[in-house]
C-alpha cells in the first residue's frame, strides 16, 4: 500500500493511502487531517485508479504544489514526489517502497563511524531563536522523577540504556576522556542522532564545551544551541525536546523533503548528586523521518543521570589520587624539614639542652639550631617565620642554611645576626619575616650574649626562684625587614641552677576547645613551678600545652627550647 509521509511540528508521520478517495484538509472529517490554519478545510484529495495514484486540488485558498509547481486539475503521483499544502510538506511513497511497517519506528540508515570534531558551537540568542519546545521533562527538585526521569516509562529500555552507559564509562578516570565516551554511548543508544555535545560549567560557572561528536565526517558539524533553552534547562533542571523547522522559504517545493533542514533536538541537565546542574547534554537530528519524541527525552534524562554520576565519581577519584600524591610529597617535605633540624643537641659538662618541634601542618615555619663554636662556646639559634605550612617551611629552610653558613665563619653574636639579616633581606619575599633569637654561651665564663630580633624574650628562671625577661626596648626588628639594622647585644651570666626557656607563639597562644588561650601568664607560672632540669621542664611544658588544647587541632607551630646550668 502506498503512503503519504507528513512532516508537521518537527515529526514525520506515515499515512497509508486506502483504495478510493483520500481527502486531505483541516476538517476533522478528512481522511488525513492537517493541523494548520493556512490549509483549507478540504484542501486536496488523492485517488487510486487502476493501481495509479492521482492528486487533485479541491479549490483550496493557497493551492496544491507537486515538485514545486502548482497543479490545476489532476496530477499523477510517482514515487518520492514532493507535495506542499500551505506550510505542510508531504512525500509520496509508492507501493512496495514504504520506509517501514507501521509497527516499526521509521529510520534512515546511519553511518556507524562517529567523527570527533573541534568544539564548534553556535549559541543562538533568544531574539533569533526559532526553536519550538515540544516537550519537557522535569528533573530534581520540581516534583519529577529525579535524575532518572519517569521510571515507569519504558523501564526495560531505560534499564538497558543505563547499563550500557555504565558499562561504557566503567574504569574511566580521566575526566577529559569521559565526556567523549558519554557521547559515543549516546550515539549507540540514539541511532538517529546526527550531532551532540556536552558543556560543563567552569570555575566561573560559565558553560564550556568539553566534548562534541557528529556522525558524518566532512559535513558542517556546528551544533546550534538556543540560549533560551540552555537557560531553562539549567534554571529549571528540566530536560527539553524542541523542533525548529526552517521558515517557509526553506520549505519551497523545489527542495526534496528528505533534505529539508528540520532539526529535532534534546537538551538535558547533568545534575550532581546534590541535584545541582553542572552542565548539559545536547543531541540533535536532521533526519525528517526519525525525529525525537518525549520517550526519547525521558530516556536521555535517565542516561544523563547515570553519566553525571559517573563524571562526578571520576572527578572525586582524580581528586583523591591527587590528594594521595600531595600527601606523599608532603611526607617527603616533612622528612626533609626534619633533616634541617639538629639530630642531637650539644653536650657540655654542667649544662643541659632540650628542644621539641611540632608543626601545625605537615611542614611548618618554626626553626631551631645549636652547635659548638671555637673557644669552648655554644650557639643557640631559634626563630619563628611569619606564616605556616609550605610558605613558612621554605623561608625556614633558607633561614637554616643561612644560619649554618654564617656561624661557620662568624663567632660573635652581633655581627652574626647582622650578616644573617643582610642575607635574608636580599631577595626578601614581601610579608615574610622571621622573629629570631641568637645566643652564644661561653662555657668557660658562663657569659651569655644574645640578640633578640623581634621575638618574645626568653624566660629565665633564676636559681633563687625569680623570673627574668629582657626589657621590651631591647628587642629589635625581625630578620628580613630592615637591612643594616643595628641590633642590641644583650648580656646575661648563667649561674648554677639558672634555666632559660625559648618558645614560639604556638605555645602561649595554644587554644582550648572553648577558645581560651594558654597565655604568657600561665606559661610564666608553669615555668616558675616546673622541674629543675632543662629536659624535664621542656617535656612537661609540651605536655601541659597539649593538656590545655584537650584534643583541639594546633592552630600554629609549637617549638620549645630549654637550656641551663645544672645546680651545684
Amino acid at each position: 500500500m502506498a503512503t503519504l509521509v507528513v512532516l508537521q511540528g518537527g515529526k514525520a508521520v506515515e499515512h497509508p493511502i486506502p483504495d478510493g478517495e483520500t481527502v486531505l484538509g483541516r476538517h476533522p472529517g478528512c481522511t488525513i487531517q492537517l493541523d494548520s490554519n493556512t490549509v483549507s478545510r478540504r484542501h486536496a484529495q488523492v485517488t487510486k485508479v487502476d493501481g495509479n495514484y492521482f492528486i487533485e486540488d479541491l479549490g483550496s485558498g493557497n493551492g496544491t504544489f507537486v515538485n514545486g509547481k502548482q497543479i490545476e486539475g489532476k496530477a499523477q503521483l510517482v514515487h518520492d514526489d514532493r507535495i506542499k499544502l500551505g506550510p505542510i510538506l508531504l512525500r509520496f511513497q509508492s507501493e512496495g517502497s514504504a520506509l517501514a511497517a507501521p509497527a516499526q519506528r521509521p529510520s534512515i540508515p546511519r553511518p556507524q563511524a562517529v567523527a570527533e570534531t573541534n568544539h564548534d558551537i553556535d549559541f543562538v540568542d533568544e531574539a533569533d531563536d526559532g526553536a519550538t519546545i515540544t516537550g519537557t521533562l522535569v528533573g530534581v527538585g520540581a516534583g519529577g522523577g529525579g535524575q532518572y526521569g519517569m521510571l515507569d516509562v519504558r523501564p526495560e529500555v531505560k534499564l538497558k540504556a543505563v547499563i550500557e552507559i555504565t558499562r561504557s564509562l566503567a574504569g574511566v578516570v580521566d575526566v577529559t576522556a569521559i565526556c567523549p565516551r558519554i557521547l559515543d554511548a549516546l550515539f549507540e543508544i540514539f541511532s538517529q542522532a546526527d550531532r551532540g555535545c556536552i558543556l560543563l560549567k567552569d570555575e566561573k560557572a560559565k558553560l564550556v564545551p568539553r566534548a562534541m561528536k557528529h556522525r558524518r565526517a566532512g559535513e558542517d558539524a556546528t551544533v546550534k544551541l538556543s540560549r533560551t533553552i540552555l537557560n531553562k534547562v539549567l534554571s529549571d533542571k528540566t530536560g527539553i525536546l524542541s523542533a525548529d523547522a526552517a521558515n517557509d522559504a526553506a520549505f519551497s517545493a523545489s527542495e526534496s523533503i528528505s533534505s529539508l533542514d528540520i532539526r529535532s533536538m534534546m537538551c538535558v541537565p547533568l545534575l550532581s548528586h546534590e541535584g545541582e546542574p553542572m552542565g548539559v547534554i545536547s543531541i540533535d537530528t536532521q533526519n525528517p523521518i526519525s525525529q525525537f519524541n518525549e520517550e526519547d527525552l525521558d530516556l536521555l534524562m535517565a542516561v544523563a543521570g547515570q553519566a553525571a554520576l559517573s563524571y562526578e565519581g571520576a572527578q572525586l577519584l582524580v581528586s583523591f589520587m591527587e590528594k594521595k600524591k600531595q600527601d606523599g610529597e608532603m611526607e617527603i617535605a616533612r622528612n626533609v624539614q626534619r633533616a634541617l633540624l639538629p639530630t642531637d643537641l650539644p653536650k657540655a659538662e654542667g649544662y643541659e639542652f632540650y628542644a621539641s618541634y611540632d608543626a601545625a601542618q605537615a611542614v611548618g615555619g618554626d626553626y631551631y639550631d645549636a652547635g659548638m663554636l671555637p673557644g669552648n662556646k655554644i650557639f643557640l639559634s631559634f626563630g619563628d617565620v611569619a606564616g605556616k605550612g609550605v610558605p613558612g617551611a621554605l623561608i625556614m629552610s633558607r633561614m637554616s642554611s643561612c644560619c649554618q653558613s654564617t656561624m661557620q665563619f662568624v663567632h660573635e653574636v652581633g655581627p652574626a645576626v647582622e650578616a644573617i639579616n643582610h642575607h635574608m633581606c636580599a631577595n626578601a619575599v614581601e610579608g615574610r619575616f622571621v622573629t629570631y633569637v641568637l645566643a652564644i654561651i661561653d662555657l668557660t665564663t658562663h657569659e651569655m650574649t644574645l640578640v633578640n630580633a623581634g621575638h618574645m624574650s626568653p624566660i629565665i628562671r633564676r636559681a633563687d626562684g625569680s623570673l627574668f625577661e629582657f626589657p621590651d626596648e631591647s628587642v629589635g626588628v625581625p630578620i628580613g625587614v630592615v637591612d643594616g639594622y643595628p641590633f642590641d647585644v644583650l648580656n646575661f651570666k648563667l649561674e648554677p641552677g639558672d634555666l632559660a626557656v625559648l618558645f614560639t607563639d604556638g605555645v602561649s597562644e595554644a587554644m582550648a576547645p572553648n577558645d581560651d588561650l594558654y597565655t604568657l601568664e600561665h606559661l610564666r607560672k608553669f615555668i616558675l613551678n616546673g622541674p629543675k632540669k632543662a629536659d624535664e621542664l621542656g617535656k612537661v611544658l609540651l605536655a601541659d600545652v597539649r593538656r590545655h588544647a584537650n584534643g583541639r587541632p594546633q592552630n600554629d607551630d609549637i617549638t620549645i627550647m630549654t637550656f641551663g646550668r645544672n645546680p651545684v
Side-chain angles (χ1 to χ4, degrees):
M1 181 179 293
T3 59
L4 284 173
V5 180
V6 181
L7 285 90
Q8 186 177 17
K11 298 181 180 180
V13 181
E14 290 186 68
H15 294 275
I17 304 175
D19 293 338
E21 297 179 346
T22 299
V23 180
L24 298 87
R26 193 175 74 249
H27 193 275
C30 292
T31 311
I32 300 177
Q33 184 183 6
L34 303 175
D35 185 15
S36 174
N37 291 330
T38 58
V39 174
S40 300
R41 293 169 61 83
R42 291 171 54 85
H43 196 110
Q45 71 178 20
V46 176
T47 307
K48 181 180 181 182
V49 180
D50 297 330
N52 295 316
Y53 292 85
F54 299 86
I55 187 168
E56 178 182 6
D57 185 80
L58 300 179
S60 66
N62 293 317
T64 299
F65 294 80
V66 177
N67 296 330
K69 296 181 179 180
Q70 186 171 3
I71 64 171
E72 295 180 2
K74 289 186 178 181
Q76 186 174 351
L77 295 172
V78 297
H79 177 65
D80 233 12
D81 273 350
R82 303 173 302 279
I83 304 167
K84 182 172 181 288
L85 309 179
I88 306 299
L89 301 169
L90 306 95
R91 180 169 59 188
F92 174 71
Q93 296 283 313
S94 61
E95 295 183 25
S97 63
L99 294 177
Q104 295 177 324
R105 180 169 184 166
S107 63
I108 293 176
R110 317 299 289 165
Q112 294 301 311
V114 179
E116 184 171 351
T117 72
N118 293 327
H119 300 151
D120 192 5
I121 295 180
D122 181 13
F123 291 97
V124 183
D125 291 327
E126 184 173 359
D128 302 321
D129 183 10
T132 301
I133 296 177
T134 60
T136 61
L137 184 63
V138 179
V140 170
Q147 283 179 302
Y148 297 97
M150 300 167 59
L151 292 175
D152 57 344
V153 177
R154 296 196 297 167
E156 70 287 349
V157 177
K158 185 168 296 182
L159 178 60
K160 180 180 178 181
V162 170
I163 292 174
E164 184 173 340
I165 195 77
T166 303
R167 183 178 302 160
S168 175
L169 301 178
V172 181
V173 298
D174 183 0
V175 291
T176 61
I178 198 168
C179 289
R181 292 281 288 272
I182 291 173
L183 287 180
D184 287 342
L186 290 178
F187 272 55
E188 292 294 328
I189 296 170
F190 300 99
S191 60
Q192 72 270 44
D194 283 311
R195 294 170 298 198
C197 67
I198 296 178
L199 294 87
L200 297 175
K201 290 183 177 180
D202 61 9
E203 296 80 4
K204 299 180 180 179
K206 179 182 178 182
L207 283 177
V208 176
R210 296 299 184 192
M212 183 175 146
K213 299 283 184 182
H214 74 120
R215 199 173 288 275
R216 296 184 183 91
E219 290 188 355
D220 180 15
T222 303
V223 174
K224 296 180 180 180
L225 293 178
S226 162
R227 295 189 187 275
T228 307
I229 288 177
L230 283 177
N231 291 336
K232 184 173 180 62
V233 168
L234 293 174
S235 61
D236 297 349
K237 306 174 188 176
T238 301
I240 288 181
L241 172 67
S242 73
D244 58 353
N247 56 31
D248 288 348
F251 278 80
S252 65
S254 62
E255 297 184 59
S256 169
I257 291 178
S258 63
S259 67
L260 288 174
D261 187 15
I262 298 179
R263 183 170 66 103
S264 176
M265 185 267 284
M266 296 188 293
C267 188
V268 300
L270 287 165
L271 301 177
S272 69
H273 71 283
E274 296 176 345
E276 292 302 318
M278 57 185 184
V280 298
I281 295 178
S282 173
I283 60 174
D284 66 35
T285 179
Q286 290 180 299
N287 182 354
I289 305 302
S290 299
Q291 303 283 289
F292 295 125
N293 56 39
E294 292 192 10
E295 287 193 354
D296 291 324
L297 179 64
D298 179 69
L299 182 59
L300 182 58
M301 280 290 288
V303 172
Q306 183 59 37
L309 293 179
S310 297
Y311 182 82
E312 207 170 20
Q315 282 186 311
L316 292 174
L317 182 57
V318 169
S319 297
F320 174 74
M321 294 171 64
E322 290 178 350
K323 179 64 166 58
K324 286 198 69 175
K325 181 181 178 182
Q326 291 174 357
D327 288 346
E329 291 174 347
M330 290 305 295
E331 184 61 29
I332 295 173
R334 180 203 299 268
N335 294 334
V336 170
Q337 185 177 48
R338 288 286 181 180
L340 296 176
L341 301 175
T343 53
D344 294 303
L345 295 177
K347 297 187 184 303
E349 185 178 355
Y351 280 84
E352 284 189 354
F353 301 91
Y354 168 84
S356 67
Y357 175 85
D358 291 275
Q361 301 175 21
V363 292
D366 284 3
Y367 156 76
Y368 73 87
D369 200 356
M372 297 298 299
L373 295 175
N376 199 27
K377 295 180 181 179
I378 289 177
F379 79 88
L380 303 172
S381 183
F382 192 88
D384 184 358
V385 178
K388 302 182 291 295
V390 173
L394 291 173
I395 303 297
M396 176 269 195
S397 64
R398 185 180 175 194
M399 186 71 182
S400 173
S401 62
C402 180
C403 178
Q404 285 282 347
S405 60
T406 299
M407 298 312 296
Q408 288 183 24
F409 305 101
V410 184
H411 305 144
E412 299 294 329
V413 67
V417 172
E418 290 176 4
I420 293 171
N421 183 53
H422 174 72
H423 180 82
M424 295 298 292
C425 284
N427 302 319
V429 179
E430 184 177 357
R432 298 293 176 181
F433 54 85
V434 185
T435 62
Y436 180 64
V437 173
L438 178 65
I440 294 179
I441 302 173
D442 188 325
L443 299 178
T444 303
T445 65
H446 309 294
E447 291 285 342
M448 179 175 67
T449 55
L450 179 145
V451 168
N452 188 338
H455 199 76
M456 293 164 287
S457 170
I459 299 177
I460 301 175
R461 187 184 68 193
R462 289 192 171 106
D464 60 9
S466 63
L467 295 181
F468 172 81
E469 297 177 45
F470 293 99
D472 293 341
E473 55 268 20
S474 65
V475 178
V477 299
I479 298 295
V481 175
V482 180
D483 193 8
Y485 183 85
F487 293 96
D488 292 338
V489 177
L490 309 175
N491 294 278
F492 187 90
K493 186 170 183 178
L494 291 168
E495 301 292 345
D498 287 352
L499 192 153
V501 178
L502 284 164
F503 57 95
T504 59
D505 52 11
V507 174
S508 57
E509 296 178 3
M511 298 181 71
N514 62 356
D515 293 343
D516 285 347
L517 297 178
Y518 191 78
T519 73
L520 274 172
E521 186 61 31
H522 181 83
L523 175 60
R524 293 185 181 104
K525 290 181 180 179
F526 188 87
I527 293 173
L528 188 61
N529 299 304
K532 305 299 182 183
K533 299 182 66 176
D535 59 341
E536 293 179 3
L537 177 61
K539 292 175 183 178
V540 296
L541 174 58
L542 179 60
D544 192 60
V545 172
R546 300 212 177 281
R547 177 203 57 77
H548 176 81
N550 195 22
R552 176 167 179 161
Q554 287 180 227
N555 60 303
D556 202 353
D557 305 327
I558 296 175
T559 305
I560 298 170
M561 177 182 280
T562 56
F563 61 93
R565 290 184 67 184
N566 295 329
V568 176

